[in-house]
Amino acid sequence: MLDYLYPNRKCMSILSDWEIKALSLGNELISPFIDKVVSEKDGKKVLSYGLGSYGYDIRLSPKQCLLFGGTSSGDCDPKDFNPDILKATDLHEDERGEYFLLPPFGYCLCVAHERLSLPEDITVIAAGKSSYARTGILCNITPAEGGWEGYLTLEISNCTSLWNRIYANEGITQLLFYRGKPCLVSYRDRKGKYQNQPKEVVTASV
């Protein structure tokens, strides 16, 4: 039925590696940009990051990790968020790399190392990394719509009863880029509240 009404309609498609690269080298998509999968650095294994076949693995910034647990009373309200419920987490380092430690069933807010600048016909969703998923770590990022730009705030959950590491300057989640027909009103046009996020955690607001 839709094909009859809209004969020139094209389905939304996922961007491949060469498309992601072309946009990023034009400073329109990802900065800084790594044009391959990096799984080893300075002779040591790392959680992979960089350009994949149909996506891009972004890194966790070492700058900030805010853990829920600054207070044990009151409530958490997305309409009136109290930043006092968050507490800063120390960055640790050993022979395996720099990392933050999440307590059992802990939940934290972090920030991505890379900055995004999305064309108005491209929307981003995130998918978890297998190595983290298999240790009980989930990274949730809400979709970034066409026209959005800034540093993504990352919501990371430890689903286990154990202390769990998340490594800074290494891959944390994979981004998938979808191109569709240009929208009537982009995120930039409507001046979305999370536009131009700085390289720091941005908490809930209305």
Side-chain angles (χ1 to χ4, degrees):
M1 182 64 174
L2 287 175
D3 289 335
Y4 173 74
L5 291 174
Y6 307 104
N8 296 320
R9 182 175 66 100
K10 293 182 180 179
C11 295
M12 180 172 281
S13 60
I14 188 170
L15 296 191
S16 63
D17 50 5
W18 64 269
E19 292 174 295
I20 296 170
K21 182 176 180 178
L23 286 170
S24 296
L25 293 180
N27 295 318
E28 290 187 53
L29 202 62
I30 305 166
S31 179
F33 176 74
I34 307 295
D35 67 355
K36 61 183 179 180
V37 173
V38 176
S39 57
E40 186 175 308
K41 188 175 182 180
D42 299 327
K44 297 180 180 179
K45 292 289 186 181
V46 298
L47 292 157
S48 60
Y49 60 89
L51 181 64
S53 301
Y54 287 94
Y56 191 95
D57 285 28
I58 58 173
R59 288 168 283 180
L60 177 70
S61 170
K63 182 176 181 180
Q64 203 172 26
C65 179
L66 303 181
L67 185 70
F68 279 76
T71 179
S72 59
S73 61
D75 57 18
C76 186
D77 186 351
K79 292 185 177 182
D80 186 20
F81 191 85
N82 179 6
D84 291 340
I85 67 176
L86 302 173
K87 61 179 180 180
T89 302
D90 292 333
L91 181 68
H92 304 274
E93 184 175 6
D94 62 16
E95 69 281 358
R96 297 178 189 170
E98 294 180 303
Y99 62 93
F100 297 107
L101 265 180
L102 295 190
F105 306 111
Y107 189 82
C108 68
L109 301 179
C110 299
V111 65
H113 174 67
E114 292 83 0
R115 190 180 192 278
L116 301 183
S117 181
L118 301 180
E120 295 191 353
D121 61 345
I122 292 177
T123 282
V124 169
I125 62 172
K129 289 183 65 67
S130 295
S131 296
Y132 273 130
R134 297 176 195 199
T135 59
I137 291 291
L138 297 181
C139 184
N140 174 55
I141 304 172
T142 52
E145 295 186 328
W148 185 87
E149 57 183 291
Y151 293 90
L152 290 167
T153 292
L154 313 176
E155 302 91 17
I156 303 174
S157 177
N158 176 9
C159 301
T160 76
S161 58
L162 305 172
W163 288 80
N164 221 320
R165 294 187 181 198
I166 52 172
Y167 282 91
N169 296 309
E170 300 186 25
I172 187 65
T173 193
Q174 184 183 50
L175 300 184
L176 304 175
F177 298 85
Y178 291 89
R179 173 178 275 134
K181 285 191 172 182
C183 54
L184 293 175
V185 181
S186 71
Y187 196 87
R188 183 182 296 112
D189 292 335
R190 70 173 186 269
K191 296 179 174 59
K193 60 189 176 184
Y194 297 119
Q195 184 70 301
N196 291 312
Q197 290 185 162
K199 198 171 187 178
E200 61 187 44
V201 168
V202 175
T203 58
S205 65
V206 292

